[in-house]
Amino acid sequence: MVHPFTLIRRVFGNALFSSLTRRIVFFNLAALVVLVAGIMYLNQFREGLIDARVESLLTQGEIIAGAISASASVDTNSITIDPQKLLELQAGQSITPVPNDEDLEFPINPERVAPVLRRLISPTRTRARLFDADANMLLDSRHLYSRGQILRFDLPPVETDSEGWADAAARLFNKLLQPSNLPLYKETPGGDGSIYPEVMNALTGVRGAVVRVTDNGELIVSVAVPVQRFRAVLGVLLLSTQAGDIDKIVHAERLAIMRVFGVATLVNIVVSLLLSSTIANPLRRLAAAAVRVRRGAKERQEIPDFSARQDEIGNLSLALREMTNALYDRIDAIESFAADVSHELKNPLTSLRSAVETLPLARTEESKNKLLDIIQHDVRRLDRLISDISDASRLDAELARSDAKPVDMEVLLSNLVDASRQISTRKKPVEIDYIVDRKQGMKTGFMVNGHDLRLGQIISNLIENARSFAPAHGGRIVVRLSRTKGRCVIQIEDNGPGIQAENIDRIFERFYTDRPEGEGFGQNSGLGLSISRQIAEAHGGTLRAENLLQQEDSKPRGAKFTLTLPIDVAA
């Protein structure tokens, strides 16, 4: 039996369980949760609803109080008010009517006011309480009934229904979001309105409103409006909302927000998974390909190509592909180099072995001396090969470790040509000319970015190669420096026999030797031109060879090597 978690993992793969996917989903949902929590806790909907409810109750209270005051007149002069005192009142002040006698009745007749109050209150869920001038309750809309109306009171259930977990969670959530500074609502014992501050303020002619909270965390808004007639306060009308009315509206709005939150969460998860698939899946494929390359498969492993994405992953894919191709090319080059080295070392070693084995069999001194000369020649050849091989193997690492610097090719060529002219006195005498083609009005020089020692090695190899092929009498070498289209061009020409057409490309192969007549065998390792081209390509340049042809019969009249290097723009 397959475990459910394993089954889900098989169905969705690693897309849902990768670390990157989990982080994207978590942070997106965290931001959404913080946003919704802020809306739930800091939104002004509840405050605006309470303010609107207060204004509605005040307006309703003013209308009802006016109706009550109009019906509160009595036929007998039960209330006497001094007109002089009324004239002395300031704006906003009221006066409480003073009965003439202890036996006088209240000016508000409950029997006359009750029908009016019933008609005005019945369309709404508002609770109305009427207090006299002494803050004693006269009427309560909960207990108003008309003649012929049957009063029905529901008995309490035999078993109290237990509160559901959803209701309990909603009530707890409502309490948590409820303001903590609201006063607790209490019913007046015996109908005494003096415990309500808004009622006592209304007795002075000032209307007021107070928001309270019940034990269950439900809001109740109370509004007290003075009942006045000719600026005399006859009583107070207290209007209050039913417990939970405002909370039901707020709860409905919160449910709507939660529904929107649910939809937004679903969309957020889907978008996060899609975003993760566009990031995590390519990275996973790139990592798997890199692991296969590291394990060293028998054939080349292709890195997935995401360069069409034009983003960071596309750049990473392109960089990995180029790095892998360079790595494979380097491996192939190392294998080829090792094979060439093995082949080249076997020749002198075979010759050396034959000479050593033959030496004890030599009978004459002349034979022994010839064999010793062969042994010494092969040892020198091995030493030369090993030195050149060591230099070629260190070349890439040396160029990668050292920092390139601006190099003035005009100065470098001048120094190298002077050094080669001094060497001519000890080797084959040749004439070396140095020509700088400087165009008129050219402001910039011949600066390139590279390694001066390695660039000097190219020039030295080319000059010595031209010297070896130049004729013994009348040999001439021309070193020409010019510039064209942002590249520095160095040309080295000789008047030797030239290069065989089929060997123009082969001369740059490792260990290839095509030496002039008269030069002893084994005097050259065949790595000079190969190393020179390798250095040129490492500097972003090129090195090529061609023949100089005669105009009469198109026969070679010498060879020309052309080295091009990019100009250092920043210099």
Side-chain angles (χ1 to χ4, degrees):
M1 182 178 179
V2 182
H3 195 272
F5 185 79
T6 305
L7 181 61
I8 294 175
R9 193 180 187 93
R10 289 179 181 175
V11 173
F12 292 97
N14 294 322
L16 191 61
F17 299 96
S18 68
S19 175
L20 183 60
T21 302
R22 290 197 300 268
R23 291 180 183 180
I24 292 175
V25 173
F26 172 76
F27 285 113
N28 285 341
L29 288 183
L32 186 60
V33 168
V34 171
L35 177 62
V36 172
I39 293 175
M40 299 291 287
Y41 186 76
L42 300 176
N43 71 328
Q44 302 297 321
F45 175 75
R46 179 176 53 202
E47 287 74 9
L49 185 62
I50 292 174
D51 294 340
R53 193 63 170 165
V54 168
E55 292 297 327
S56 176
L57 289 178
L58 288 175
T59 303
Q60 184 180 1
E62 292 287 352
I63 295 173
I64 296 175
I68 292 175
S69 62
S71 63
S73 61
V74 293
D75 295 336
T76 59
N77 295 326
S78 57
I79 300 296
T80 57
I81 298 176
D82 189 0
Q84 188 65 31
K85 292 185 177 181
L86 288 176
L87 296 176
E88 296 176 356
L89 292 177
Q90 299 295 327
Q93 294 183 350
S94 301
I95 185 172
T96 303
V98 181
N100 291 330
D101 195 273
E102 294 292 338
D103 296 332
L104 292 178
E105 297 179 351
F106 292 106
I108 299 178
N109 188 351
E111 293 183 0
R112 298 184 60 181
V113 173
V116 177
L117 188 61
R118 186 187 303 112
R119 285 194 300 269
L120 296 176
I121 291 299
S122 57
T124 65
R125 287 176 47 85
T126 308
R127 180 184 179 186
R129 282 170 286 185
L130 188 61
F131 296 90
D132 61 10
D134 294 328
N136 295 319
M137 188 170 64
L138 299 177
L139 292 175
D140 190 346
S141 60
R142 286 184 177 179
H143 308 299
L144 290 178
Y145 58 92
S146 59
R147 295 180 181 178
Q149 181 180 0
I150 300 175
L151 299 180
R152 184 180 65 180
F153 300 95
D154 295 331
L155 296 175
V158 179
E159 295 182 359
T160 305
D161 295 335
S162 59
E163 187 179 28
W165 65 270
D167 296 335
R171 183 169 55 84
L172 179 60
F173 186 71
N174 186 48
K175 280 187 174 181
L176 290 176
L177 299 181
Q178 204 72 263
S180 58
N181 56 349
L182 296 180
L184 185 64
Y185 176 80
K186 295 181 181 179
E187 285 288 345
T188 58
D192 185 10
S194 61
I195 67 171
Y196 299 127
E198 65 270 28
V199 173
M200 301 307 294
N201 288 335
L203 288 176
T204 63
V206 180
R207 64 180 189 175
V210 176
V211 181
R212 295 182 177 85
V213 62
T214 64
D215 294 333
N216 295 328
E218 298 173 333
L219 292 177
I220 295 180
V221 179
S222 299
V223 171
V225 179
V227 179
Q228 302 180 90
R229 189 173 179 83
F230 302 113
R231 301 180 64 182
V233 178
L234 308 179
V236 175
L237 176 64
L238 181 65
L239 299 180
S240 57
T241 60
Q242 298 292 335
D245 284 353
I246 296 178
D247 298 281
K248 290 179 181 178
I249 300 175
V250 175
H251 182 65
E253 292 298 324
R254 286 173 180 164
L255 288 179
I257 293 175
M258 294 305 295
R259 285 192 291 269
V260 174
F261 171 71
V263 174
T265 300
L266 181 61
V267 173
N268 206 332
I269 292 176
V270 172
V271 172
S272 298
L273 292 178
L274 293 177
L275 177 62
S276 173
S277 66
T278 61
I279 298 177
N281 290 342
L283 290 179
R284 191 180 301 110
R285 291 179 59 187
L286 292 175
V291 170
R292 291 195 299 270
V293 172
R294 179 181 60 83
R295 290 177 179 175
K298 294 182 180 179
E299 58 184 11
R300 285 199 177 198
Q301 295 294 325
E302 192 69 21
I303 300 296
D305 187 8
F306 299 110
S307 57
R309 290 174 54 124
Q310 300 297 325
D311 58 5
E312 287 76 6
I313 293 181
N315 296 337
L316 176 62
S317 170
L318 183 61
L320 285 177
R321 287 174 63 86
E322 294 177 352
M323 182 189 69
T324 305
N325 292 333
L327 177 62
Y328 279 125
D329 293 341
R330 183 65 57 82
I331 293 175
D332 294 340
I334 291 174
E335 292 178 353
S336 176
F337 184 74
D340 293 342
V341 168
S342 175
H343 175 73
E344 290 297 323
L345 289 179
K346 281 183 178 180
N347 292 331
L349 285 176
T350 301
S351 175
L352 184 62
R353 179 181 178 182
S354 299
V356 171
E357 291 177 351
T358 308
L359 183 61
L361 302 178
R363 297 175 182 240
T364 63
E365 290 295 328
E366 184 180 358
S367 299
K368 290 181 179 180
N369 291 332
K370 288 183 178 180
L371 291 174
L372 288 175
D373 292 339
I374 293 174
I375 291 174
Q376 292 178 358
H377 177 271
D378 290 337
V379 169
R380 288 193 299 270
R381 183 181 175 190
L382 281 174
D383 180 65
R384 188 180 303 107
L385 278 173
I386 293 174
S387 299
D388 291 343
I389 290 170
S390 175
D391 187 36
S393 62
R394 293 197 312 268
L395 180 60
D396 287 341
E398 179 181 337
L399 292 177
R401 284 196 300 266
S402 58
D403 296 331
K405 298 178 180 178
V407 179
D408 190 345
M409 295 302 299
E410 184 177 0
V411 176
L412 180 63
L413 287 176
S414 177
N415 295 333
L416 292 175
V417 169
D418 291 340
S420 297
R421 288 169 178 169
Q422 296 175 5
I423 294 176
S424 298
T425 58
R426 299 189 300 270
K427 293 185 178 182
K428 182 190 298 185
V430 294
E431 182 181 352
I432 303 177
D433 296 333
Y434 176 43
I435 302 174
V436 179
D437 293 337
R438 189 183 302 276
K439 295 181 180 179
Q440 186 176 3
M442 187 175 67
K443 298 181 180 180
T444 57
F446 302 91
M447 301 296 294
V448 298
N449 193 34
H451 306 79
D452 54 352
L453 294 180
R454 289 301 181 179
L455 292 176
Q457 183 179 357
I458 299 177
I459 305 302
S460 298
N461 288 342
L462 295 179
I463 292 178
E464 293 305 315
N465 183 76
R467 184 198 303 274
S468 63
F469 283 95
H473 300 284
R476 185 170 181 266
I477 299 175
V478 179
V479 179
R480 191 184 306 274
L481 176 63
S482 61
R483 173 175 173 173
T484 175
K485 294 182 180 180
R487 299 186 74 85
C488 182
V489 181
I490 300 100
Q491 295 176 335
I492 299 178
E493 306 173 1
D494 64 69
N495 59 347
I499 308 170
Q500 297 294 329
E502 64 273 11
N503 295 332
I504 286 181
D505 291 331
R506 290 193 60 195
I507 60 176
F508 294 103
E509 295 179 0
R510 283 191 299 266
F511 304 110
Y512 176 81
T513 56
D514 183 13
R515 308 310 302 168
E517 296 180 1
E519 184 174 308
F521 174 75
Q523 300 299 320
N524 201 288
S525 64
L527 287 174
L529 292 179
S530 174
I531 293 176
S532 298
R533 172 172 278 187
Q534 187 178 359
I535 296 173
E537 292 177 349
H539 285 78
T542 59
L543 178 62
R544 56 186 177 86
E546 58 183 319
N547 284 321
L548 298 174
L549 303 178
Q550 297 180 6
Q551 295 180 355
E552 297 82 9
D553 52 6
S554 299
K555 291 183 179 180
R557 60 178 179 86
K560 179 174 70 172
F561 287 84
T562 303
L563 172 65
T564 62
L565 296 170
I567 291 292
D568 186 9
V569 181

